[in-house]
Amino acid sequence: NLTHGDVRQLAVTLTSPDGKVINLFGTGVAGKFGTHANLVNTVFDDSALTPIQNAPSPIPSGPFNPQLPLSVLNGSGAAGVWTLTVRN
């Protein structure tokens, strides 16, 4: 869940404990969304049929493909600190 007045202004990344960075979506992609607020229960999944950049407005819960596949993390350990970064 993410609360923001206009998600087109955001870039969101997930960083694994071993430093791999996944772009969930960036301002270039978010710019294709209609003007609206918030992501509510939005799910990112490599096996989803719809890329996040093709999400309708308002953005439903999904699931959606992230910009970079989550499978990049395959083989990495899950233990440690994960960081979700949201840039405005």
Side-chain angles (χ1 to χ4, degrees), residues 13-15 17 19-20 32 40 42-43 49 53 61 69 73 78 84:
T13 60
L14 177 65
T15 305
K20 292 180 184 169
K32 296 178 183 178
V40 179
T42 304
V43 174
L49 299 177
Q53 61 266 30
S61 59
L73 301 171
L84 183 67

Side-chain angles (χ1 to χ4, degrees), residues 12-16 20-22 24 70 73 82-85:
V12 179
T13 60
L14 177 65
T15 305
S16 69
K20 292 180 184 169
V21 178
I22 304 296
L24 297 177
L70 296 168
L73 301 171
W82 290 78
T83 305
L84 183 67
T85 303

Side-chain angles (χ1 to χ4, degrees), residues 25-58:
F25 68 87
T27 54
V29 171
K32 296 178 183 178
F33 298 149
T35 302
H36 63 281
N38 310 326
L39 298 175
V40 179
N41 297 323
T42 304
V43 174
F44 292 93
D45 184 336
D46 286 353
S47 63
L49 299 177
T50 305
I52 188 65
Q53 61 266 30
N54 294 339
S57 178

